Amino acid sequence: MRSESQPSTQTPSQTGQRNPTNDTLISRQVAIGLILGGVLMGIAPVNAWPLAWVALVPLWRLLHKPQLSTRSLLIGAALWGVAYHGTALSWIMWWLKPLLAMGLPLIASVLIALFAWAFITLWGAAIGMTWIGLIQIVRQRFELTGGRRVWVGTALWCAVEWVWSHGPLYWTSLSYTQSPHNLVGLQMGQLAGPITVTAGIVAINGLLAEWMGAQADETLSRKSIGKWRTQRKPLLWGVLLFLCFHLVGFGLYARPLIDSPEQSLTVGLVQGNIPTSEKLSLAGIQDSRQIYLDGYEALVATGAELVITPEGSIAQVWNTFTQDQNILMRAVVKNKVPLLLGTFANVDIDSNQGPDTQSLLMLSPDEEVVGRYNKVKLVPLGEYLPFEKVLRAIMGPLLPWKSLAPGRFDQQLNTPFGPMAAGICYESAFTELFRQQVARGGLAIFTASNNDPYPPRQMMQHHAQDVMRAVETDRWEVRVTNTGISGVVDPRGRSQWLSEPNERVTHTSEIFRRQTQTPYVRWGDWLTPLLLILSAVCLKFQT
């Protein structure tokens, strides 16, 4: 037995305490590992989902280095975050195309595109930096080692992501790295939303980091087989959690879809493939009307009961006073098939007063707009100018900007076939927006996007976001885009049809209206507060 006066053999990393006399910057090897981990997480979305289950390990491993100061930890988190979000969002640089088409000089266009990419990347990187900062605050009062470190760290990551998901910029949740191909894992979103998938990714990466830390702290030998069994426990727990996560997901995925034939709806969609730089001109508006009129009539001829067009299909403010002369409205009246039109409208559509909105208008055979959805989450510097009132007070009429007005969060899209949930473009990443619409009775999900001028990689990321929304809410989803990729997704996340990008396409598909409610639709994100409460209890009663 060891004497009480014998010095402890525990390392600082085992006690979870930082040695204040040994603050150092992160090494080159650690920095490379962080950047590599971030890049792996960045390429995981769409085609490489297994990478997400190990790519967060380098960031977790920072917490096993007690010699690092808070400043060094934040720098490390920034390296990982910039690598992840910068890689995942690299398609933003395609914004150069419309900037150049607008006549801006090459240098100015490059600078604007770089600024947009850098700003959004840093905004996303702040998630990991905030997470590290919160853990450091907790470590000042409590000992964080082993399972307690994983538990608290997972709860704090979920809390930070929850905050970011309610902000103006959000796209790269860890959960979307699993979409659209890990459909078994994505079913867990039915329980508490995408944060359920995020929690699984963070926790399993944390357990792998604990196992790697244990290996680094002790030299294994045949004589230390007992220690080896102890040290491998985090690995075993990580494997077990991964298997349980996907077994539960498989159980949800394997349930048959029970759709009533009476709730069938044949939906037609038009992918116009009209470059934004063209459709903004007067000639482009005329061409757009004809293209969508031809597409509408072709779909009606194939049996469509409802036709949907993309975001901003007609780049002109809808005029209620002259709507009876609109060729699209006249076609709806003639063919008796409703049209969900992506266009712009005044806030007060009846009097054509107020600021403009990015809208979906439900045109009925009764020559009326019977339903409307206004985009809630507008794109900064694209659809609205941050701090516009302040800038306008300074610059006055010299400010060449007119921001669109955001829609209310409590909207419902009314159609002749019942209420639907809707979203426009960028909103696909904001799960709470769809959850609330489905909770209020939305029978299916319709999303409309532009996606010009972005490449197929961005289009598939956008599709991946919509797949998650369909799974979480147990709804059929129809996504209609201008340049692609349009698609139809069933409630299990399976893509029943996908269009080719950058082509003009019309398509009809049968979907079903549903009234089911998943636990997530009923109760929202209940997992994050539960994790935080259990973490607080764990810290309060630690021995």
Side-chain angles (χ1 to χ4, degrees), residues 126-179:
I127 294 176
M129 297 174 68
T130 303
W131 176 68
I132 284 284
L134 290 174
I135 289 180
Q136 284 295 87
I137 293 173
V138 173
R139 290 207 299 190
Q140 290 176 1
R141 296 190 58 185
F142 302 98
E143 180 182 346
L144 284 183
T145 57
R148 186 180 295 114
R149 177 162 45 202
V150 175
W151 190 276
V152 173
T154 301
L156 289 177
W157 188 287
C158 291
V160 174
E161 266 209 12
W162 181 88
V163 172
W164 253 249
S165 71
H166 288 75
L169 290 174
Y170 190 61
W171 188 263
T172 43
S173 161
L174 294 186
S175 57
Y176 101 119
T177 61
Q178 303 304 290
S179 186

Side-chain angles (χ1 to χ4, degrees), residues 225-403:
I225 188 67
K227 287 185 177 180
W228 184 80
R229 287 174 178 171
T230 299
Q231 292 162 352
R232 71 177 180 177
K233 282 184 178 180
L235 175 62
L236 297 178
W237 276 112
V239 172
L240 181 62
L241 179 58
F242 180 84
L243 292 175
C244 289
F245 184 93
H246 286 83
L247 283 173
V248 174
F250 180 77
L252 296 171
Y253 180 75
R255 293 178 303 157
L257 290 177
I258 302 175
D259 288 313
S260 171
E262 291 78 17
Q263 297 303 315
S264 171
L265 178 63
T266 302
V267 178
L269 56 89
V270 187
Q271 179 175 297
N273 196 36
I274 307 169
T276 302
S277 57
E278 294 180 13
K279 70 179 182 180
L280 293 178
S281 66
L282 291 177
I285 292 172
Q286 295 297 328
D287 290 342
S288 297
R289 285 201 189 101
Q290 191 61 50
I291 288 170
Y292 287 107
L293 174 62
D294 293 343
Y296 169 83
E297 292 183 333
L299 291 167
V300 169
T302 61
E305 300 174 272
L306 170 66
V307 177
I308 307 175
T309 68
E311 170 193 24
S313 301
I314 309 300
Q316 190 176 49
V317 177
W318 183 264
N319 191 322
T320 308
F321 300 143
T322 61
Q323 67 183 21
D324 59 335
Q325 302 172 28
N326 187 289
I327 61 173
L328 292 171
M329 178 65 91
R330 292 206 303 266
V332 170
V333 174
K334 172 186 174 183
N335 293 285
K336 307 299 182 185
V337 174
L339 171 66
L340 186 59
L341 178 66
T343 187
F344 299 86
N346 297 121
V347 168
D348 187 348
I349 193 171
D350 293 328
S351 63
N352 293 333
Q353 298 293 319
D356 300 338
T357 60
Q358 182 82 262
S359 301
L360 296 175
L361 302 183
M362 189 74 251
L363 309 186
S364 80
D366 297 326
E367 206 174 291
E368 295 180 353
V369 177
V370 297
R372 176 182 183 179
Y373 176 81
N374 299 328
K375 189 173 183 180
V376 178
K377 293 290 186 177
L378 301 175
V379 179
L381 300 180
E383 295 171 318
Y384 80 96
L385 181 65
F387 311 111
E388 181 183 6
K389 290 184 178 179
V390 175
L391 293 174
R392 198 167 294 283
I394 298 172
M395 300 178 62
L398 297 178
L399 184 65
W401 196 284
K402 184 181 179 182
S403 295

Side-chain angles (χ1 to χ4, degrees), residues 25-44:
L25 294 175
I26 58 175
S27 66
R28 179 180 299 178
Q29 182 180 5
V30 171
I32 292 173
L34 288 164
I35 294 172
L36 178 61
V39 170
L40 291 178
M41 188 69 82
I43 64 178

Side-chain angles (χ1 to χ4, degrees), residues 259-261 263-265 443-444 475-476 510-514:
D259 288 313
S260 171
Q263 297 303 315
S264 171
L265 178 63
L443 304 175
R475 290 294 184 271
W476 285 83
E510 182 184 37
I511 67 169
F512 295 88
R513 292 162 287 176
R514 295 170 67 86

Side-chain angles (χ1 to χ4, degrees), residues 115-130:
F115 172 79
W117 172 80
F119 184 85
I120 298 174
T121 294
L122 292 173
W123 185 274
I127 294 176
M129 297 174 68
T130 303

